[in-house]
């Protein structure tokens, strides 16, 4: 959701046109309006992939990682990680980076 709010704020600040989230972030990247736009886009896409896997497997919700170790392991392997801990660290770093950008955008 943070990425969606970032895109909405950028659209309102720069031209007010409604755009897809990806288009808004690509325009921000091209215009230099968002220093970490490329990394933000990649992390957003990574988290969307995780959500898609969770949705297909009907875990507790599309944005909630399973607590049970067996399903968590399956999700981490499906996402291409060798261990659940590596997956956990990657997801945490993606979320942290997105939140950092979000806080900078809403604070500006």
């Amino acid at each position: 959701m943070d990425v969606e709010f970032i895109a909405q704020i950028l659209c309102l600040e720069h031209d007010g046109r409604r755009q897809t989230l990806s288009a808004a972030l690509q325009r921000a990247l091209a215009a230099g309006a968002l220093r970490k736009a490329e990394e933000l886009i990649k992390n957003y896409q990574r988290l969307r992939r995780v959500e898609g896997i969770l949705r297909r497997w009907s875990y507790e919700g599309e944005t909630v990682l399973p607590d049970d170790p067996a399903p968590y392991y399956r999700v981490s392997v499906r996402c291409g990680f060798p261990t659940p801990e590596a997956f956990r660290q990657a997801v945490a770093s993606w979320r942290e980076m997105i939140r950092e950008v979000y806080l900078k955008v809403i604070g500006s």
Side-chain angles (χ1 to χ4, degrees), residues 52-67:
I53 290 167
L54 291 170
R55 243 185 274 119
R56 281 191 296 278
W57 287 351
S58 298
Y59 287 116
E60 297 175 26
E62 60 188 59
T63 60
V64 178
L65 293 169
D67 289 328

Side-chain angles (χ1 to χ4, degrees), residues 54-91:
L54 291 170
R55 243 185 274 119
R56 281 191 296 278
W57 287 351
S58 298
Y59 287 116
E60 297 175 26
E62 60 188 59
T63 60
V64 178
L65 293 169
D67 289 328
D68 185 19
Y72 194 91
Y73 174 78
R74 286 192 298 272
V75 171
S76 65
V77 167
R78 179 71 175 102
C79 289
F81 288 85
T83 66
E85 187 54 36
F87 176 63
R88 187 180 327 278
Q89 290 174 357
V91 169

Side-chain angles (χ1 to χ4, degrees), residues 19-74:
Q19 302 173 23
T20 66
L21 182 128
S22 181
L25 294 175
Q26 289 294 342
R27 287 192 67 217
L29 175 62
L34 190 57
R35 285 187 26 213
K36 293 186 174 186
E38 191 169 347
E39 186 180 0
L40 185 69
I41 292 166
K42 286 180 185 175
N43 288 341
Y44 172 74
Q45 291 169 337
R46 290 170 176 146
L47 289 172
R48 292 293 297 190
R49 181 170 184 268
V50 172
E51 288 176 8
I53 290 167
L54 291 170
R55 243 185 274 119
R56 281 191 296 278
W57 287 351
S58 298
Y59 287 116
E60 297 175 26
E62 60 188 59
T63 60
V64 178
L65 293 169
D67 289 328
D68 185 19
Y72 194 91
Y73 174 78
R74 286 192 298 272

